[in-house]
Amino acid sequence: YYRFPISFGIEYEILSPFDDYGAWYNVDVISLNVRYPLPFLPTLQPSIQGGIIRFDNRKEGEDNWDNFHLLGAAGLVYSHRLAKYVELGGGLLVGMTQSYYPDLLEKIHGVKNFIAQAGIRISFNPSYHFLIDIHPNIKYIYSLSRIEDPSSF
């Protein structure tokens, strides 16, 4: 099994539904991921993630609920090498986000949220220093408080 000292990755997720689905939003995630394989068990890799989640309202003529979340999470990734260029695994992350509504609320910026993510990973290693990672996952975001607006919004 090969080993590496630390792994840095950039991730971009598009969570936008198809137009026929009828959803009124787009969600994009861009993040930086760092993984550190445990020296005594390199298949387990503690991971941290930081990034931005952007929610974009596609519906015209209504209040603009566009918002973005600053994201910070930590977790554990399992990665097992199946062949020379293929890995299979999974991961769990938990963390916090801080949401901001720049176009809707002038005095209230947003709320803190709990986030959890679980998913599987299929990785392709075309070279030693480059990895293509496909990992479908499920994200859960729970708001820890309500948005309070002094103007009785």
Side-chain angles (χ1 to χ4, degrees):
Y1 197 87
Y2 74 100
R3 296 180 185 198
F4 53 90
I6 195 165
S7 169
F8 295 95
I10 296 174
E11 178 177 330
Y12 180 68
E13 295 178 67
I14 301 171
L15 305 173
S16 303
F18 297 110
D19 285 335
D20 293 341
Y21 185 70
W24 303 327
Y25 58 87
N26 290 327
V27 181
D28 299 310
V29 181
I30 187 161
S31 61
L32 174 65
N33 301 306
V34 179
R35 295 189 323 203
Y36 173 74
L38 298 174
F40 55 90
L41 189 60
T43 57
L44 291 180
Q45 303 165 4
S47 174
I48 57 173
Q49 179 182 34
I52 296 174
I53 304 172
R54 185 181 68 91
F55 293 82
D56 181 32
N57 182 13
R58 299 186 322 172
K59 203 168 187 183
E60 298 293 330
E62 292 191 5
D63 291 331
N64 191 350
W65 283 93
D66 290 354
N67 64 85
F68 65 93
H69 293 237
L70 297 178
L71 162 69
L76 189 64
V77 172
Y78 172 78
S79 183
H80 177 71
R81 188 174 214 171
L82 295 176
K84 185 175 181 181
Y85 300 112
V86 180
E87 294 178 12
L88 185 63
L92 298 171
L93 286 172
V94 294
M96 300 291 289
T97 72
Q98 172 67 45
S99 62
Y100 293 94
Y101 296 83
D103 298 328
L104 187 61
L105 304 172
E106 295 176 8
K107 296 179 183 177
I108 310 297
H109 293 291
V111 296
K112 289 182 177 32
N113 305 284
F114 168 78
I115 186 168
Q117 174 179 314
I120 61 171
R121 292 181 175 273
I122 302 168
S123 303
F124 302 99
N125 302 327
S127 73
Y128 182 72
H129 297 291
F130 186 71
L131 175 79
I132 299 170
D133 211 9
I134 299 170
H135 60 99
N137 60 62
I138 297 172
K139 283 185 181 15
Y140 175 75
I141 300 175
Y142 179 78
S143 178
L144 299 176
S145 62
R146 295 180 1 183
I147 296 177
E148 300 292 338
D149 185 6
S151 65
S152 300
F153 174 71

